[in-house]
Amino acid sequence: MAVVETLGRPAQSRPETPAAQRRWWVAARTKLTPYMFIAPNMALFSVFVFFPLLYAFYVSLREWSLIDTPRYVGLENYERLFSDPQFWQSLRNTLVYSFATVPTSLAIGLVLALALNRDLIARTFLRSLYFLPVVISSVATAVIAAWLFNDNYGVVNMLLRRVGLEPVAWLSSPRWALFSLVIATLWVRVGFCMVVYLAALQSISPTYYDAAEVDGATRFQQFRHITWPLLRPATFLLLILSVIYSFQVFDLIYVMTGGGPGFSTTMVVQYIYQAAFVSSEMGYASAMGVVLFLLILGFTLLQWSVNRRVEDVA
Amino acid sequence: MSTINRRNLLKTGAGVSAGMYFGAAHAQAAISLNMTSWGAPAEVDAFNQLIAKYKDVKPNVSIRLDIVPSGQYYQQLDTRLAGKQGPDLFRAQYQQIGRYAQSAAAIDVSKYLDAGFGDAFMPSVWQAVSYQGRIHALPHHTDTFALFYNADVLEKLGVEPPKSIDKSWSWAEFIRVAKLMKEKSGFNYPFAMAWQNANAYRWLMYLYQHGGTLLDASLKAPAINNKAGIESIAWTQSWFTEGLVPPNTSLKSTEPTQNLFATGKIGLLLNGDWQIPFIQDQAKFKWGVTYMPRDVAMASDLGGNALAISRDTKNAEAAADFLKFMVNEENMRAFVVKAQLLPVRKSMVEKGVSYDLRPSEMKVFLEQSKTVPEHLVSTVVLPTWGRFNAKLADELELAFTSGQAADATAANIEKHARAMLTT
């Protein structure tokens, strides 16, 4: 009975005859099976994501240094957040970083996917090469990027000197540091975008292109009216994933610039980390985490609704 | 009068045997302690050697040493403590002890110490491990800053480094040598300072050298927003604006300054004694160490660490015994010699310690360690220092890299210091 209730049906009494009981059990088992399959994942999700998420709401209303007893402070942390210029700067940096990396990584990924979807020499090697930064630990990628862009002994500055140009303070100038991070991010992200687009391209039936060619469509027209619309689900997925990645970027920046110089590359997650583990202000860090969660949720819902509207029109 | 008969004898014998059996079992009850630390390879070796030595003395006590990268050390330790899974013993900088003492994460060890135990230690470090009259850690060692120099370069420039502390360079002389290096020796940047990785408090030594303080004498109010404070900020800011230090050596930078010196990218390095093994190993030129530059006063930084017992331990007495073993004269000497650090026992500081590696340079550091101002120690061991330290780093970073004016920086630091005092 309890089982039937959990499946959202009206309560029924358990059948009396053995045959009826067997039928009831078969029906119940069929309904239960999918829940049993997702149960381990849901258990892990609850322990490591859902519970910490709720706990963050709880902590955001408290002052807590992690090693002392939490003290209830109401909405004090949220009030402080709205008058903290460094929080707003980190939010601004995050938005600039997202605008600089998301469309660019999607565009470059698409161009690479289109190029590597053709018969090219060393096509597999090139695909692997672009995808390599995705599978390497992001900290290792960041260390390599930090070496490349190092002001004093970096390869990039060495090459600039070789061609007679002045070296650039890639990581230590507020003007260039964010730019260096964007380049490093693109290096990591384009491989992922490329693979998703490649998979989507390969699922497009060639008959569309054959028909379009018969109708005299140019290559651009084929892309505009066949490829791009059919890639929309992949673009939508990449857009959501890339925005979430950009809003949550941490390791790359932690290793390359530490959020500096000044606050020029401090992103929201970096600032949350600093509040939590450098200043030991878990309550304030949690309040920022809650705001970031709501921002990402709002942005995802917005994308979702826009995409649905576009789909409906299509 | 009792008589000894066979039954009584047997009873007594059985009692004695049982007592001996349980006594022996109690004496040898196995105790496992877990200790966490960060450390350079030489420090880790020194810890392991002493842990092995302790095993000889107390065979029933096993100590496991967990080494955590310094960048994540406090984050991991605090998380373990929050989850009631803290290690039995942990190492912490003197600047952190107040925080752990205030929250009772580091237990009061006073009851395990004999009367007058603290008299054997340097007053500055004993003060650093005391909180409200109770002792929450035992001082293990100290370290401090001095000036590493590329001897080949100075020789070519005809510059002689100071040979005694009273002849140390003034701020003006130091900058003159740095500029000479930049002009004549082809260095893009002549020197660097190691204050990265949450070590902003090291900036305070320049403030004290210039006659300033962060807090007033009673430690109740900020005292930085004045001429001495603003000039100290402006002086260190000028290192960046005049291109004397690499721009990527500001406080938030991730550049290890010792690498720059050891690879010959800079000619002078303001750093600590624990860098000697690395520089000895890596530098392919002649180098030496001289005293910190001075202005109206000489001052250096309170470095070093203490050993504490966490509130999660179930073997506080055994842990306290190990702590006392670690800080006795013989073992402190073994540790500091092996790890190239400085002792904190008065007798050892007075008599000196014979180092195998670079003994004359270590003598400079030992002498320099006596110049740590007492008021500076009282300031950086406040329980809320950790939170303020992050704000100090933010403000200095803005001054050094983003053009925030020295007077605005002093005003902001004053505001944060006030918040620290009222928290």
Side-chain angles (χ1 to χ4, degrees):
Chain A
M1 201 158 86
V3 170
V4 177
E5 273 175 354
T6 57
L7 299 178
R9 286 186 176 179
Q12 291 169 6
S13 57
R14 197 183 168 106
E16 292 301 322
T17 63
Q21 275 182 1
R22 211 168 26 250
R23 277 199 304 278
W24 175 87
W25 172 240
V26 169
R29 202 176 54 184
T30 312
K31 293 280 185 191
L32 264 178
T33 308
Y35 289 96
M36 286 169 69
F37 273 114
I38 62 169
N41 188 35
M42 286 311 290
L44 287 174
F45 181 82
S46 301
V47 171
F48 292 108
V49 179
F50 195 61
F51 173 71
L53 194 70
L54 290 179
Y55 196 63
F57 280 98
Y58 168 84
V59 174
S60 72
L61 303 175
R62 277 153 182 83
E63 189 183 292
W64 185 35
S65 77
L66 207 62
I67 55 172
D68 61 4
T69 314
R71 187 172 64 87
Y72 180 74
V73 292
L75 294 173
E76 217 172 81
N77 289 321
Y78 290 95
E79 284 165 25
R80 179 180 159 194
L81 186 151
F82 285 105
S83 58
D84 180 355
Q86 276 144 17
F87 172 73
W88 290 108
Q89 182 170 356
S90 64
L91 191 61
R92 208 165 36 243
N93 288 342
T94 309
L95 290 173
V96 170
Y97 173 81
S98 302
F99 279 119
T101 54
V102 174
T104 328
S105 60
L106 261 70
I108 299 173
L110 178 59
V111 170
L112 286 174
L114 289 168
L116 295 173
N117 198 30
R118 293 156 181 262
D119 285 331
L120 283 180
I121 302 166
R123 186 171 69 167
T124 315
F125 171 74
L126 287 171
R127 282 178 183 175
S128 310
L129 198 68
Y130 284 114
F131 194 64
L132 208 56
V134 182
V135 290
I136 295 175
S137 146
S138 52
V139 174
T141 320
V143 169
I144 295 168
W147 282 344
L148 290 172
F149 286 112
N150 188 288
D151 295 2
N152 304 303
Y153 44 79
V155 175
V156 178
N157 272 351
M158 207 173 74
L159 291 174
L160 287 179
R161 282 194 198 99
R162 284 270 169 89
V163 296
L165 293 172
E166 278 293 305
V168 173
W170 294 107
L171 299 179
S172 54
S173 141
R175 200 170 134 206
W176 288 103
L178 193 60
F179 179 75
S180 313
L181 288 175
V182 169
I183 301 284
T185 306
L186 292 179
W187 179 41
V188 177
R189 294 293 296 173
V190 293
F192 180 72
C193 296
M194 177 199 76
V195 164
V196 173
Y197 272 133
L198 257 179
L201 282 173
Q202 284 168 6
S203 69
I204 299 175
S205 168
T207 54
Y208 295 130
Y209 297 104
D210 295 341
E213 245 168 63
V214 170
D215 289 344
T218 62
R219 278 290 168 90
F220 178 75
Q221 285 170 325
Q222 286 178 27
F223 176 79
R224 168 79 181 76
H225 297 288
I226 300 171
T227 314
W228 182 241
L230 290 175
L231 286 179
R232 192 181 300 122
T235 306
F236 177 61
L237 172 78
L238 284 174
L239 196 63
I240 287 189
L241 291 180
S242 299
V243 166
I244 292 174
Y245 171 88
S246 297
F247 268 71
Q248 295 186 339
V249 66
F250 175 73
D251 38 14
L252 191 80
I253 292 165
Y254 182 72
V255 173
M256 284 183 73
T257 63
F263 284 90
S264 63
T265 61
T266 302
M267 306 290 157
V268 177
V269 177
Q270 180 89 26
Y271 196 50
I272 291 173
Y273 171 82
Q274 186 179 322
F277 296 110
V278 181
S279 306
S280 302
E281 296 175 290
M282 295 305 290
Y284 188 48
S286 298
M288 287 192 278
V290 168
V291 170
L292 182 64
F293 165 75
L294 293 175
L295 276 174
I296 295 178
L297 183 71
F299 198 81
T300 307
L301 289 176
L302 181 74
Q303 280 176 306
W304 205 278
S305 90
V306 169
N307 190 58
R308 275 180 63 181
R309 215 169 299 152
V310 173
E311 291 279 328
D312 289 347
V313 171
Chain B
M1 191 175 152
S2 63
T3 53
I4 299 175
N5 57 27
R6 200 174 61 174
R7 183 173 289 179
N8 280 346
L9 187 68
L10 279 172
K11 267 186 188 170
T12 312
V16 169
S17 306
M20 282 173 71
Y21 173 79
F22 287 115
H26 178 72
Q28 296 199 344
I31 295 173
S32 286
L33 297 175
N34 165 235
M35 176 170 161
T36 186
S37 174
W38 72 95
E43 288 174 279
V44 178
D45 287 349
F47 269 125
N48 282 326
Q49 272 183 13
L50 289 169
I51 287 171
K53 188 177 166 192
Y54 189 69
K55 185 82 183 159
D56 294 339
V57 182
K58 293 276 168 76
N60 62 320
V61 182
S62 306
I63 295 164
R64 199 187 77 218
L65 178 67
D66 288 339
I67 296 297
V68 177
S70 57
Q72 290 114 53
Y73 181 74
Y74 292 110
Q75 174 191 342
Q76 201 184 96
L77 177 61
D78 290 4
T79 311
R80 286 180 70 177
L81 287 164
K84 302 190 188 336
Q85 301 285 321
D88 296 289
L89 298 137
F90 65 91
R91 188 188 197 196
Q93 289 165 292
Y94 293 116
Q95 290 82 355
Q96 300 283 343
I97 296 297
R99 187 166 72 87
Y100 289 112
Q102 189 187 41
S103 59
I107 64 166
D108 174 11
V109 294
S110 310
K111 68 174 173 184
Y112 302 109
L113 308 176
D114 298 332
F117 186 87
D119 297 345
F121 293 84
M122 300 290 289
S124 59
V125 294
W126 196 250
Q127 182 195 343
V129 296
S130 311
Y131 175 70
Q132 294 182 341
R134 315 298 297 173
I135 304 304
H136 286 264
L138 293 188
H140 189 210
H141 68 88
T142 187
D143 46 58
T144 198
F145 265 52
L147 181 63
F148 290 83
Y149 59 87
N150 184 321
D152 289 342
V153 172
L154 287 193
E155 209 174 290
K156 275 184 201 150
L157 291 173
V159 174
E160 178 130 354
K163 294 279 182 245
S164 63
I165 198 158
D166 54 317
K167 299 237 167 49
S168 60
W169 283 327
S170 66
W171 279 11
E173 285 168 322
F174 171 67
I175 294 298
R176 188 185 62 79
V177 172
K179 286 185 172 168
L180 199 65
M181 277 185 161
K182 190 173 166 113
E183 284 156 21
K184 301 269 170 70
S185 305
F187 285 106
N188 288 326
Y189 305 101
F191 73 97
M193 162 72 198
W195 43 27
Q196 301 77 18
N197 292 327
N199 289 312
Y201 65 87
R202 290 175 183 161
W203 174 83
L204 289 185
M205 59 186 164
Y206 301 113
L207 176 66
Y208 280 79
Q209 285 172 8
H210 197 54
T213 57
L214 176 70
L215 304 177
D216 67 359
S218 65
L219 304 173
K220 296 263 190 288
I224 188 169
N225 195 7
N226 51 33
K227 191 167 175 280
I230 294 167
E231 283 178 0
S232 304
I233 295 167
W235 186 60
T236 40
Q237 187 182 38
S238 73
W239 300 356
F240 289 86
T241 52
E242 293 181 23
L244 297 175
V245 293
N248 62 339
T249 56
S250 63
L251 287 97
K252 282 192 183 173
S253 156
T254 51
E255 182 77 63
T257 52
Q258 66 275 16
N259 287 2
L260 297 175
F261 181 75
T263 53
K265 297 279 179 199
I266 54 174
L268 300 166
L269 173 67
L270 294 150
N271 211 324
D273 41 84
W274 65 94
Q275 296 296 354
I276 286 182
F278 174 81
I279 292 170
Q280 173 77 8
D281 195 43
Q282 300 291 323
K284 304 287 179 245
F285 50 83
K286 218 164 76 184
W287 59 276
V289 175
T290 185
Y291 304 90
M292 289 295 291
R294 68 159 77 219
D295 193 47
V296 294
M298 173 53 101
S300 192
D301 157 67
L302 171 75
N305 307 293
L307 300 173
I309 301 173
S310 100
R311 64 184 170 207
D312 295 331
T313 187
K314 290 184 175 54
N315 297 295
E317 199 173 340
D321 188 64
F322 177 68
L323 285 200
K324 287 191 278 184
F325 169 86
M326 287 296 283
V327 302
N328 74 28
E329 187 162 335
E330 185 187 341
N331 295 328
M332 186 180 285
R333 177 174 286 107
F335 187 85
V336 297
V337 168
K338 178 95 183 160
Q340 211 74 19
L341 298 166
L342 303 172
V344 283
R345 283 185 163 272
K346 281 180 194 162
S347 57
M348 295 168 73
V349 175
E350 280 154 18
K351 282 186 270 173
V353 176
S354 306
Y355 290 90
D356 301 331
L357 183 63
R358 294 283 184 158
S360 53
E361 279 75 14
M362 286 306 290
K363 216 171 140 192
V364 172
F365 278 108
L366 197 59
E367 209 172 338
Q368 188 75 65
S369 73
K370 295 173 192 165
T371 67
V372 181
E374 262 182 50
H375 188 266
L376 185 152
V377 177
S378 310
T379 305
V380 299
V381 299
L382 288 170
T384 45
W385 178 262
R387 190 174 295 184
F388 171 76
N389 191 56
K391 301 292 178 200
L392 178 66
D394 285 346
E395 296 302 335
L396 292 174
E397 170 82 10
L398 287 170
F400 297 165
T401 66
S402 305
Q404 179 170 275
D407 51 355
T409 306
N412 290 347
I413 295 174
E414 180 185 43
K415 192 180 74 191
H416 297 308
R418 193 164 284 126
M420 167 179 73
L421 293 167
T422 52
T423 306

